[in-house]
PDB file of all heavy atoms in Angstrom:
ATOM      1  N   ARG A  13     110.123 118.448  90.333  1.00 89.00           N
ATOM      2  CA  ARG A  13     108.734 118.402  90.799  1.00 89.00           C
ATOM      3  C   ARG A  13     108.072 119.744  90.562  1.00 89.00           C
ATOM      4  O   ARG A  13     108.685 120.792  90.783  1.00 89.00           O
ATOM      5  CB  ARG A  13     108.706 118.088  92.291  1.00 89.00           C
ATOM      6  CG  ARG A  13     107.307 117.782  92.835  1.00 89.00           C
ATOM      7  CD  ARG A  13     107.281 117.822  94.360  1.00 89.00           C
ATOM      8  NE  ARG A  13     106.895 119.138  94.860  1.00 89.00           N
ATOM      9  CZ  ARG A  13     106.618 119.380  96.125  1.00 89.00           C
ATOM     10  NH1 ARG A  13     106.713 118.416  97.019  1.00 89.00           N
ATOM     11  NH2 ARG A  13     106.280 120.597  96.512  1.00 89.00           N
ATOM     12  N   LYS A  14     106.837 119.674  90.140  1.00 89.00           N
ATOM     13  CA  LYS A  14     106.070 120.905  89.994  1.00 89.00           C
ATOM     14  C   LYS A  14     105.453 121.258  91.342  1.00 89.00           C
ATOM     15  O   LYS A  14     105.220 120.384  92.189  1.00 89.00           O
ATOM     16  CB  LYS A  14     104.970 120.735  88.942  1.00 89.00           C
ATOM     17  CG  LYS A  14     105.504 120.616  87.520  1.00 89.00           C
ATOM     18  CD  LYS A  14     104.348 120.542  86.533  1.00 89.00           C
ATOM     19  CE  LYS A  14     104.869 120.441  85.111  1.00 89.00           C
ATOM     20  NZ  LYS A  14     103.775 120.339  84.129  1.00 89.00           N
ATOM     21  N   GLU A  15     105.173 122.503  91.527  1.00 86.00           N
ATOM     22  CA  GLU A  15     104.496 122.961  92.738  1.00 86.00           C
ATOM     23  C   GLU A  15     103.198 122.174  92.924  1.00 86.00           C
ATOM     24  O   GLU A  15     102.447 121.979  91.975  1.00 86.00           O
ATOM     25  CB  GLU A  15     104.168 124.446  92.632  1.00 86.00           C
ATOM     26  CG  GLU A  15     105.361 125.366  92.570  1.00 86.00           C
ATOM     27  CD  GLU A  15     105.854 125.760  93.941  1.00 86.00           C
ATOM     28  OE1 GLU A  15     105.264 125.347  94.944  1.00 86.00           O
ATOM     29  OE2 GLU A  15     106.844 126.502  93.997  1.00 86.00           O
ATOM     30  N   GLY A  16     102.931 121.708  94.139  1.00 87.00           N
ATOM     31  CA  GLY A  16     101.685 121.026  94.441  1.00 87.00           C
ATOM     32  C   GLY A  16     101.682 119.531  94.176  1.00 87.00           C
ATOM     33  O   GLY A  16     100.697 118.855  94.442  1.00 87.00           O
ATOM     34  N   GLN A  17     102.795 119.013  93.666  1.00 91.00           N
ATOM     35  CA  GLN A  17     102.865 117.575  93.377  1.00 91.00           C
ATOM     36  C   GLN A  17     103.533 116.819  94.511  1.00 91.00           C
ATOM     37  O   GLN A  17     104.424 117.348  95.186  1.00 91.00           O
ATOM     38  CB  GLN A  17     103.690 117.347  92.108  1.00 91.00           C
ATOM     39  CG  GLN A  17     102.934 117.519  90.821  1.00 91.00           C
ATOM     40  CD  GLN A  17     103.794 117.154  89.624  1.00 91.00           C
ATOM     41  OE1 GLN A  17     105.023 117.154  89.702  1.00 91.00           O
ATOM     42  NE2 GLN A  17     103.155 116.856  88.511  1.00 91.00           N
ATOM     43  N   ASN A  18     103.120 115.577  94.695  1.00 94.00           N
ATOM     44  CA  ASN A  18     103.849 114.665  95.571  1.00 94.00           C
ATOM     45  C   ASN A  18     104.850 113.893  94.717  1.00 94.00           C
ATOM     46  O   ASN A  18     104.553 113.549  93.566  1.00 94.00           O
ATOM     47  CB  ASN A  18     102.902 113.657  96.231  1.00 94.00           C
ATOM     48  CG  ASN A  18     101.958 114.307  97.218  1.00 94.00           C
ATOM     49  OD1 ASN A  18     102.061 115.487  97.519  1.00 94.00           O
ATOM     50  ND2 ASN A  18     101.012 113.520  97.701  1.00 94.00           N
ATOM     51  N   VAL A  19     106.001 113.611  95.284  1.00 95.00           N
ATOM     52  CA  VAL A  19     106.976 112.767  94.592  1.00 95.00           C
ATOM     53  C   VAL A  19     107.530 111.753  95.579  1.00 95.00           C
ATOM     54  O   VAL A  19     107.612 112.027  96.768  1.00 95.00           O
ATOM     55  CB  VAL A  19     108.141 113.573  93.984  1.00 95.00           C
ATOM     56  CG1 VAL A  19     107.662 114.408  92.813  1.00 95.00           C
ATOM     57  CG2 VAL A  19     108.819 114.425  95.024  1.00 95.00           C
ATOM     58  N   VAL A  78     107.775 113.084  99.302  1.00 96.00           N
ATOM     59  CA  VAL A  78     107.808 114.515  99.580  1.00 96.00           C
ATOM     60  C   VAL A  78     106.446 115.058  99.152  1.00 96.00           C
ATOM     61  O   VAL A  78     106.107 115.031  97.959  1.00 96.00           O
ATOM     62  CB  VAL A  78     108.945 115.207  98.810  1.00 96.00           C
ATOM     63  CG1 VAL A  78     109.035 116.676  99.189  1.00 96.00           C
ATOM     64  CG2 VAL A  78     110.273 114.504  99.074  1.00 96.00           C
ATOM     65  N   THR A  79     105.671 115.489 100.098  1.00 94.00           N
ATOM     66  CA  THR A  79     104.307 115.904  99.781  1.00 94.00           C
ATOM     67  C   THR A  79     104.254 117.383  99.438  1.00 94.00           C
ATOM     68  O   THR A  79     105.211 118.137  99.659  1.00 94.00           O
ATOM     69  CB  THR A  79     103.362 115.613 100.954  1.00 94.00           C
ATOM     70  OG1 THR A  79     103.607 116.576 101.995  1.00 94.00           O
ATOM     71  CG2 THR A  79     103.558 114.208 101.502  1.00 94.00           C
ATOM     72  N   SER A  80     103.093 117.808  98.960  1.00 89.00           N
ATOM     73  CA  SER A  80     102.908 119.220  98.594  1.00 89.00           C
ATOM     74  C   SER A  80     102.925 120.107  99.832  1.00 89.00           C
ATOM     75  O   SER A  80     103.055 121.332  99.719  1.00 89.00           O
ATOM     76  CB  SER A  80     101.598 119.390  97.828  1.00 89.00           C
ATOM     77  OG  SER A  80     100.514 118.908  98.584  1.00 89.00           O
ATOM     78  N   ALA A  81     102.816 119.501 101.015  1.00 88.00           N
ATOM     79  CA  ALA A  81     102.851 120.276 102.254  1.00 88.00           C
ATOM     80  C   ALA A  81     104.263 120.723 102.618  1.00 88.00           C
ATOM     81  O   ALA A  81     104.434 121.604 103.459  1.00 88.00           O
ATOM     82  CB  ALA A  81     102.269 119.454 103.402  1.00 88.00           C
ATOM     83  N   GLN A  82     105.267 120.145 101.977  1.00 88.00           N
ATOM     84  CA  GLN A  82     106.657 120.539 102.241  1.00 88.00           C
ATOM     85  C   GLN A  82     106.905 121.827 101.466  1.00 88.00           C
ATOM     86  O   GLN A  82     106.938 121.834 100.232  1.00 88.00           O
ATOM     87  CB  GLN A  82     107.608 119.421 101.810  1.00 88.00           C
ATOM     88  CG  GLN A  82     109.095 119.794 101.811  1.00 88.00           C
ATOM     89  CD  GLN A  82     109.583 120.456 103.075  1.00 88.00           C
ATOM     90  OE1 GLN A  82     110.118 121.557 103.050  1.00 88.00           O
ATOM     91  NE2 GLN A  82     109.374 119.805 104.189  1.00 88.00           N
ATOM     92  N   LYS A  83     107.133 122.909 102.204  1.00 87.00           N
ATOM     93  CA  LYS A  83     107.174 124.240 101.586  1.00 87.00           C
ATOM     94  C   LYS A  83     108.439 124.517 100.794  1.00 87.00           C
ATOM     95  O   LYS A  83     108.441 125.313  99.870  1.00 87.00           O
ATOM     96  CB  LYS A  83     107.018 125.311 102.673  1.00 87.00           C
ATOM     97  CG  LYS A  83     105.695 125.237 103.416  1.00 87.00           C
ATOM     98  CD  LYS A  83     104.518 125.297 102.465  1.00 87.00           C
ATOM     99  CE  LYS A  83     103.196 125.168 103.204  1.00 87.00           C
ATOM    100  NZ  LYS A  83     102.071 124.979 102.273  1.00 87.00           N
ATOM    101  N   PRO A  85     111.033 122.061  99.284  1.00 93.00           N
ATOM    102  CA  PRO A  85     111.560 120.711  99.112  1.00 93.00           C
ATOM    103  C   PRO A  85     112.843 120.612  98.300  1.00 93.00           C
ATOM    104  O   PRO A  85     113.462 119.551  98.275  1.00 93.00           O
ATOM    105  CB  PRO A  85     110.424 119.991  98.379  1.00 93.00           C
ATOM    106  CG  PRO A  85     109.773 121.072  97.590  1.00 93.00           C
ATOM    107  CD  PRO A  85     109.868 122.316  98.436  1.00 93.00           C
ATOM    108  N   VAL A 116     112.314 121.779  92.704  1.00 89.00           N
ATOM    109  CA  VAL A 116     110.952 122.202  92.424  1.00 89.00           C
ATOM    110  C   VAL A 116     110.991 123.236  91.308  1.00 89.00           C
ATOM    111  O   VAL A 116     111.745 124.205  91.364  1.00 89.00           O
ATOM    112  CB  VAL A 116     110.292 122.798  93.672  1.00 89.00           C
ATOM    113  CG1 VAL A 116     108.931 123.390  93.330  1.00 89.00           C
ATOM    114  CG2 VAL A 116     110.151 121.739  94.736  1.00 89.00           C
ATOM    115  N   VAL A 117     110.174 122.992  90.283  1.00 85.00           N
ATOM    116  CA  VAL A 117     110.165 123.903  89.132  1.00 85.00           C
ATOM    117  C   VAL A 117     108.802 124.594  89.012  1.00 85.00           C
ATOM    118  O   VAL A 117     107.821 124.144  89.589  1.00 85.00           O
ATOM    119  CB  VAL A 117     110.502 123.168  87.822  1.00 85.00           C
ATOM    120  CG1 VAL A 117     111.916 122.623  87.885  1.00 85.00           C
ATOM    121  CG2 VAL A 117     109.513 122.031  87.576  1.00 85.00           C
TER     122      VAL A 117
END
Side-chain angles (χ1 to χ4, degrees):
Chain A
R13 190 194 93 170
K14 290 184 179 179
E15 295 273 359
Q17 277 185 339
N18 292 354
V19 290
V78 184
T79 74
S80 56
Q82 170 49 237
K83 298 305 178 190
V116 173
V117 296

